[in-house]
Amino acid sequence: MEQELFSNFEQTLKNQTKTSLKPFSVARSLIINPSTTDQTISSIIQTLSQNPQLHSNHVITLLSEISLVRPHFSATVTAVIRSISFNHPDILPRAAALALYTLVSLPLASDSDLIPAYSEMTEGLFLSLCFGSSVPVRHRLLLDAERFDVRPSILLTVFLGFTKDPYPYVRKAALDGLIGLCNRVVFKDGGMIKGCYLRGVELLSDTEDCVRCSAVRMVCQWGKLLVEISEDKSKRDSSDALYVQLCSMVRDMSMNVRIEAFNALGKVEMVSQYLLMQTLSKKVIEENKISGIFSGKHFLSQALSVAGAFLHGLEDEFYEVRSSACYSLRMPAIFSAELAEKVFGLLMDVLNDDSIVVRLGALETMHHIAVSGHLKVQEMHLHMFLGTLVDMNSSIRITSRKVLRLTKFDNMPMFKLAVDSLIHSLEMYPQDEPDVLFVIFGIGRNQGRFAASITEETFLEMEPCLASNWDFNSSRTAANLTLAISASLSHEMQQHLYIIPPTIFSYAVTMLGRISNGLTEVMDRSTLLSYLSHCSSSTGPHYIEAEDDVATEVNGQITISLVADPLEPHDLEYNNIKFVLADIAEIWQPLTKLGCTSELLTVLRHWKEELRTHITDSCQPDSILTFTLQYLRVMKLLSKAWWHTMCPLDPIYNRIWDVGYILQKLETKLRELRYRFIGLSKEEELHLEELTLVVCTLRLSIFYPPYHASALKKLFMYKETSTEHSRFLTELMKTLQKEESNPYNFREPLELFSLKQLELSRNLRWMRAELDIQIQDNDWVNPIPFVAGLPVGIPLKMKLHNTPAGTKLWLKMSRSTDVVHYVFIDLKEFEGFDEMREFKYMAPFYKTPKADSFVLVLIIGMECLAEEASCYRGYGPSHELVYLCKEKEVFFSSVKNT
Amino acid sequence: MNGKRIMFDCGMHMGYADHRRYPDFSRISKSGDFDNVLSCIIITHFHLDHIGALPYFTEVCGYNGPIYMTYPTKALAPLMLDDYRKVMVGRGEEQQFTNENILNCMKKVTAVDIKQTVQVDKDLLIRPYYAGHVLGAAMFYATMGDAAMVYTGDYNMTPDRHLGAAQIDRLHLDLLITESTYGKTIRDSKYAREREFLKAVHNCVANGGKVLIPTFALGRAQELCILLDDYWERMNLKVPIYFSSGLTIQANLYYKVLISWTSQKVKDTYATRNAFNFKNVQSFERSLIHAPGPCVLFATPGMLSGGFSLEVFKHWAPCESNLITLPGYCVAGTVGHKLSDKTTKVDVDKDTQIDVRCKIHRLSFSPHTDEKGIMDLVKFLSPKNVILVHGEIKNMDYLKGRIESELGLQCYYPSNNETVTFPTTHFVKADASASFIRSSLTPNFKFVKDVTTETAPVQVLDERVTQGILTMEKGQKLKILHEDEVLTITGTEHIEV
């Protein structure tokens, strides 16, 4: 088959009279077939090389294909192609170009002696093709000139010559080649560089857009080279000349040329100030305003061509040009303060632009100015600038804040406006909070005096009612507190510190999490906390000598070293907790009445998180903290239940099961609060009792009849213990005595309920237990064996914390909801004291099922003796249980299996 | 131009009400046989000073030759002309043409697109380029044989909110005829102008005043309206903005359709929202003139030369809290022009004198290019000759000085009825010898290293064209020969040309 095809190819190639692609396609099919033998391939090569002139194009295509598919033929192919392209000068230019491409893409033959001669040959071929009459080939070769290993000196000449080619794309390729050459090769000959540069300048007025585009880039590159090599004296002049040339292109009619022109303007490094000044004004600045170094006509022509270059750029129709102009404005902007001010003024108007890219570019240039220290915001600009803080686009907001952080404000109203705008933006975009707080902190530290007086103002309003108006969930509060903190850490003189009342720092503690989120770059949470607690603990005016210790600036990054903490951490926690408890009482009423349940829940959740940060050791929880957390949870549930019950808009009965579930949970939690904490004062107990009654009433107001009796009982128990009654209780009692069956009657007492502040006593102890099985890794794989029907003993290890002697504890063992078994735990058998008892115990379980395996859920519960006795029959607790530990699963497997 | 006659624009003078408002057509042809004298009429845009006399010329004077204008101009011109006709009738003047005349006139018009080359006749080619200024405004490039010229009409080199900047290719021109309305003004950033305008309007409405913005129905009205609408949106203002007449609303409709002729920004946003769907704009009713409370009103015509804007002006001008904006350019003789002289008492017509107490804000928004724009265009095109038109004499004289001294170009500003002639490029056809063609196909570099010239010490030149030598033998055609051929013919060794 192979032979047949080959002979077919040979025959048709020999016999054909007119051009036909058939033999070549046959040859190609042979070449690309991997199973064709090398012998056939070499004969193909030979046949092809015999009469190349005929169809040189196809012959060379095939040869290059062979070199690709069969790399080991590349040497042969190289030799053949070489002989074709050098010995047959009359082959088509396209074929010759293809040959050249194939030659340079093939690996060089191993005999290294040939390399110089070889490269000379390719160079010759390249040149002869370039100077040939085929324009497409010339264009293509110029584009790829770098590949052909031509000596730079020759390449330069070729490029330079072809910049005058009649064909625009050849001119463009030549210019691009010159740009590439300028980057790759080091030129030292001034004359040559100037020649190239001037040729580029000449082509700036080419008729074709694409040529002008490349010319702008070329002039920029070679112009910079020219500036580099010129003598120090004339450096400035040649740089100015370059700038003028580039500026003259910003009014080109082609958008691409304009973009290139502005890009190039941004790259020039050294320009006279008067020229830069002129680029920012369309009117020619009068000569006498500038020192008369520059003589009339020369100066005028320069000024005319640069006049208003940037203005034109900024008001261009295309956003690409505008953003490029914004970028290149950086150069004049950092040149001098005077220029920076003008640039800033221009950029302010750009902030009005409709394109996000342009606005962002403008802001970034502003940031550049700010970094260089020339940023000076004027009052008339402030409004516009601060508008970007509430921009729709987040990256614009971020950049705008970056600029703002570096801004210096001259007076108080400006500073206040900035802070207000920041807070406003925070309210609109809460997701920006950390960054906004960081910026507030930054500007506050830079201008401590203003920050302090703002703090004074805002907090003065709040003080009389003791922060009762404060919404400790609002971003505004967080921002104000951050500002206060920043003022105290100001870079300025330290005496402002005393203006900030210490209570503010304690407020700040309640928002520690949010504030410290914003300040992560400056200090970590614990540092902030200790600083805050330090500041809040001192009363009255205090002079902190330690200020310098608090914040020492090292390399612009502030590291806060800790001042010796005078207080125990527990005190701090306690303070925190006190605040939280006070605030709950403060806000719960109005928020629930207004139906702002979701806001309330957020606040509560937030506090919970805040407090949770104090948990240092999860194994040794702090009792007060645990209580508060639990209390917060109760409040959350109560708020929810309240909303479901009392909210007039809500069709209650649609969600009755929701409420039932919430109430159930609420009761359990309340019971835990009531019984698991030892050392509750009378007030605390009454508080919890009242809450329990509220829950009862809530239940009554929905599910009236079945709960009536138990609620009444509770109420009477409560009556006995308490001395004074709240309005809620009195009203509730009246309602109960009326014996009416309308659930809505219970609404009335509920309306009167008001949450009192809970004052926690400090010697609270939390009762808890730890339950463990003595067998290691009890699981499905490693179960305890049992015999169905016979009791099984479970080896347990129990640890009890804070259990007083009279406590009645039960071990509840449940196999399923209905098979429950209780074992009484006798405290006398435990070793140790109330604080901590330990005990190893073999708990018996009698009701082993007739099954291969089962799981037993164990939990330790305490009997609530004060609760009414339940009607539980059989062995077990006679009152409701409160559980002291987490459930523990024990796995059993029948002996038969093991 | 090379024996052809083109009429660029056929406008009228807004300041006159008698026969002087139309051009003196008898100067074209005494006999009235315009069709044979004129090759074509080219209308650059739809402003009356560029198109106002066209129906008169075609329908009354009887011109039947080709007329070219861009698509938007063709669409909007009838509106403009009809509005003008109505104003004339309203003033009790004898109407010069009827609505039917306008429609008939428009039937003779050939619409063209930007950069579309039209072969008017065997030799004459025309091609419009985008000019900014107003919707559909174009600069026209015309070549007749080898002579080439550009007539700009009115154009704008800086883009505005709804139109792009003028755009043209770099052409080899013998003549550039450019407008020079603002021959001696350089405007600084448009942003500042916008800011001032918005501030003036905002202050006025904030104090409960009424703002009257007399504008041309097309162009400025849309530009200012986009600006105000954006601002209203951003500042959340609720003060009503009114458009006075049906014309303007109809014009908005055209703008919405002709999006491709507007600025890049409007085109870009078109995907989401048509910029000409103004959110805060309502139409005005006559009864609202005396309605209390602030408002902004756009009314035509622009220079308070009559019509509705003048009527509203009479009512609002005496109140101090009101604001009237004036366009940057008012033709002498109009109320607008009188107002710009800061006079407090203005004679509106023969019997009425108005005591003007309201604030006046001069709009420096202009769809015309400024001095710098003209210079930039002239510099970019670098024609052999420049003619300045459409401007005041002293401005044109100043500009002529600049063009001649800075750019070294010939510049003229002929007054009416004055004729300027100058030579045009004329290519000569010559045969080329075979060897010259061959040598022209292949590059031929010549290296010049001349230390004495200051410009560039090293130059690489392509010598192939300079090798051609033009020979003229008696009785034969011109011929270009290759250098070597000439050498063999003349038998000399070296030739200096």
Side-chain angles (χ1 to χ4, degrees), chain A residues 575-592:
Chain A
N575 274 348
N576 241 342
I577 287 162
K578 249 169 58 184
F579 278 123
V580 170
L581 290 176
D583 285 328
I584 293 179
E586 202 82 62
I587 65 164
W588 193 82
Q589 201 79 13
L591 282 182
T592 40

Side-chain angles (χ1 to χ4, degrees), chain A residues 197 201 204 215-221 223-224 239-252 257-258 260-268 305-306 309:
Chain A
Y197 169 72
V201 170
L204 286 179
V216 170
R217 269 183 291 148
M218 188 270 197
V219 165
C220 175
Q221 289 284 345
K224 275 165 75 182
S239 187
D240 280 355
L242 170 63
Y243 206 71
V244 170
Q245 286 300 344
L246 293 174
C247 276
S248 70
M249 295 310 287
V250 301
R251 289 297 274 159
D252 198 278
V257 177
R258 293 201 296 269
E260 286 300 342
F262 278 110
N263 286 344
L265 280 180
K267 287 178 192 153
V268 182
S305 47
V306 300

Side-chain angles (χ1 to χ4, degrees), chain A residues 130-133 138 157-158 160-162 165-166 191-192 194-195 198-199 204-207 212 248 251-253 281-283 304-305 307 311-312 314-318 322 349 352-354 383, chain B residues 157-159 164-168 170 172 186-192 195 234-235 262-265 372-373 376-377 379-380 402 406 441-443 445 447 454-458 460-462 464:
Chain A
C130 274
F131 287 96
S133 55
R138 191 186 309 158
T157 326
V158 169
L160 201 54
F162 281 117
D165 199 272
M192 199 167 62
K194 193 155 190 201
L198 287 175
R199 177 60 58 81
L204 286 179
S205 49
D206 198 276
T207 44
R212 291 203 298 274
S248 70
R251 289 297 274 159
D252 198 278
M253 290 284 178
S281 159
K282 283 189 195 171
K283 296 197 176 77
L304 281 171
S305 47
L311 286 183
H312 286 303
L314 292 180
E315 53 185 32
D316 199 276
E317 184 180 353
F318 296 89
R322 295 200 297 271
D349 286 325
N352 221 349
D353 200 282
D354 47 74
H383 181 76
Chain B
M157 292 288 280
T158 44
Q167 207 270 332
I168 195 163
R170 193 163 246 162
H172 291 292
I186 295 183
R187 282 192 297 261
D188 253 325
S189 169
K190 65 168 180 174
Y191 290 113
R195 201 169 50 209
R234 227 169 345 138
M235 295 292 155
T262 56
S263 75
Q264 194 60 37
K265 181 222 157 182
K372 191 163 184 326
D376 284 335
L377 184 79
K379 190 179 168 192
F380 182 78
R402 274 198 69 183
E406 284 165 30
L441 282 173
T442 33
F445 283 2
F447 299 88
E454 267 181 42
T455 46
V458 179
V460 181
L461 298 170
D462 198 340
R464 51 188 141 153

Side-chain angles (χ1 to χ4, degrees), chain A residues 319 322 350-359, chain B residues 161 230 265 269:
Chain A
Y319 75 90
R322 295 200 297 271
V350 180
L351 293 182
N352 221 349
D353 200 282
D354 47 74
S355 153
I356 291 172
V357 186
V358 179
R359 288 205 297 269
Chain B
R161 294 227 165 205
D230 271 2
K265 181 222 157 182
T269 50

